[in-house]
Amino acid sequence: MVIKRDRRTPTVRGRQLGIELKRLRSEAGLSAERAAEALGCSQGKVSRIELAQTGISKGDLYLMLDLYGLPDLATKERYWKLAREARGRGWWEDYREVITSGLSAYIAFESEATELRTWSWGTINGLIQTGDYARATFCGEPAGRGRSAGEIDKLVQARMARQRRLTDGSLRLWAVLDESLLHRPIGGADVLRGQLDHLLTLPDNVVIQVLRQQTVWHAGLSGAFTLMSFQDHPAALFVESLTGDVNVDSAEDVEASTLAFDYLRAAAASVEDSQELIAAARDAL
């Protein structure tokens, strides 16, 4: 069995195909090792397919489905359609020279999500940043000191491109922000003032709540995270780390973070009060 490598970023459809193939293998009573032996490949290759880390040819997919007891041609074509969609080239591929593989994976998932629920306490979420604020965050990062002006420009362009789905209404965002972000002068007072003005003029598909600084204990103390919901796929969780957002596949972690977000938005100021907090912070600059 020959498996073709796909060097592009895994997508939601790729992960969906991998989950389906793993389920079918398990229902057929086969371990990854036994499946690999029957298919004439390594166990690692089977695992990479199931983790959406590599692509698969039509012939190889059909062989796998035959092994798992799905010889029906219509069923095979349905899975092949999913495999083809998983190979699709996303717009973010044009920015590969400046964005990390981790960020590329994050954007690939974000591009197919229907709703994001985010908790931010380091910087304001990228989907609701102004261009000036985004530029300041990239320049302020330790890595930013080694980037050229052109690279910074490309990073800002990519971030602004991500925001199109908020503008066209195809993505919903519910963001809980730590109140400290309203006073942290990233880029200076003028940049922060413009950023706060922007938070006050977001479309209706964006909900902003502010968690007051006086909140002693809250569910977000372990760090920032983003929950992504999809139309026909399980929710995905990304947690913030020093090297970027990391995808966490555990269903238990997704459930725990969903509960944590519910606690955060319950503890945060209401949408109306949050608007007043943002306006007050802007006026104080």
Side-chain angles (χ1 to χ4, degrees):
M1 179 184 184
V2 179
I3 297 178
K4 295 181 179 179
R5 294 292 187 90
D6 188 345
R7 306 179 74 178
R8 291 179 181 146
T9 305
T11 62
V12 173
R13 288 177 176 81
R15 193 172 81 156
Q16 184 177 359
L17 175 65
I19 290 173
E20 281 291 297
L21 290 175
K22 183 176 182 179
R23 178 184 64 81
L24 292 172
R25 175 177 58 75
S26 297
E27 290 178 355
L30 295 169
S31 65
E33 183 178 6
R34 286 184 60 194
E37 182 179 352
L39 295 166
C41 68
S42 70
Q43 178 181 341
K45 289 182 178 180
V46 172
S47 297
R48 284 194 293 274
I49 290 173
E50 294 178 352
L51 293 172
Q53 294 175 347
T54 189
I56 184 170
S57 70
K58 185 175 184 178
D60 293 337
L61 176 62
Y62 281 20
L63 285 175
M64 187 174 280
L65 293 173
D66 282 335
L67 177 65
Y68 298 162
L70 277 79
D72 179 67
L73 183 58
T75 301
K76 289 179 177 179
E77 285 296 325
R78 177 167 58 85
Y79 280 102
W80 175 237
K81 180 176 182 291
L82 191 61
R84 291 200 315 273
E85 291 173 347
R87 291 180 175 184
R89 187 179 188 278
W91 62 262
W92 56 91
E93 302 285 349
D94 293 336
Y95 298 90
R96 277 243 166 176
E97 72 274 18
V98 293
I99 63 176
T100 64
S101 59
L103 178 56
S104 183
Y106 180 92
I107 296 174
F109 275 71
E110 183 185 84
S111 69
E112 298 188 48
T114 56
E115 181 180 32
L116 267 60
R117 288 162 289 167
T118 72
W119 155 242
S120 303
W121 69 344
T123 59
I124 291 169
N125 184 276
L127 284 176
I128 49 177
Q129 291 179 4
T130 64
D132 289 339
Y133 187 95
R135 185 177 301 278
T137 62
F138 288 128
C139 290
E141 292 175 353
R145 296 164 193 162
R147 292 178 177 134
S148 68
E151 289 172 331
I152 295 292
D153 286 343
K154 291 279 283 185
L155 286 167
V156 174
Q157 290 168 18
R159 182 152 294 180
M160 296 301 102
R162 289 169 52 198
Q163 298 181 7
R164 293 172 190 155
R165 295 197 60 221
L166 289 182
T167 304
D168 66 22
S170 62
L171 176 66
R172 299 185 302 275
L173 173 67
W174 193 317
V176 179
L177 309 177
D178 189 83
E179 188 179 5
S180 64
L181 297 177
L182 308 183
H183 305 280
R184 187 170 299 148
I186 293 176
D190 289 342
V191 170
L192 180 58
R193 185 181 297 108
Q195 176 62 61
L196 297 179
D197 280 334
H198 181 62
L199 294 181
L200 294 169
T201 58
L202 291 167
D204 293 340
N205 52 313
V206 180
V207 175
I208 303 291
Q209 285 185 268
V210 175
L211 186 71
R212 298 177 187 272
Q213 288 180 294
Q214 294 90 339
T215 308
V216 177
W217 184 93
H218 57 80
L221 287 173
S222 60
F225 61 87
T226 297
L227 285 159
M228 298 186 185
S229 298
F230 305 90
Q231 184 173 354
D232 53 2
H233 187 74
L237 169 65
F238 286 81
V239 297
E240 190 174 289
S241 72
L242 289 174
T243 56
D245 294 300
V246 178
N247 182 212
V248 179
D249 286 324
S250 166
E252 291 78 12
D253 287 329
V254 172
E255 183 178 356
S257 294
T258 300
L259 182 61
F261 186 80
D262 288 340
Y263 279 125
L264 281 166
R265 62 184 179 181
S270 68
V271 174
E272 294 76 14
D273 289 346
S274 295
Q275 291 278 297
E276 292 181 6
L277 287 169
I278 295 169
R282 177 204 58 195
D283 293 342
L285 287 170

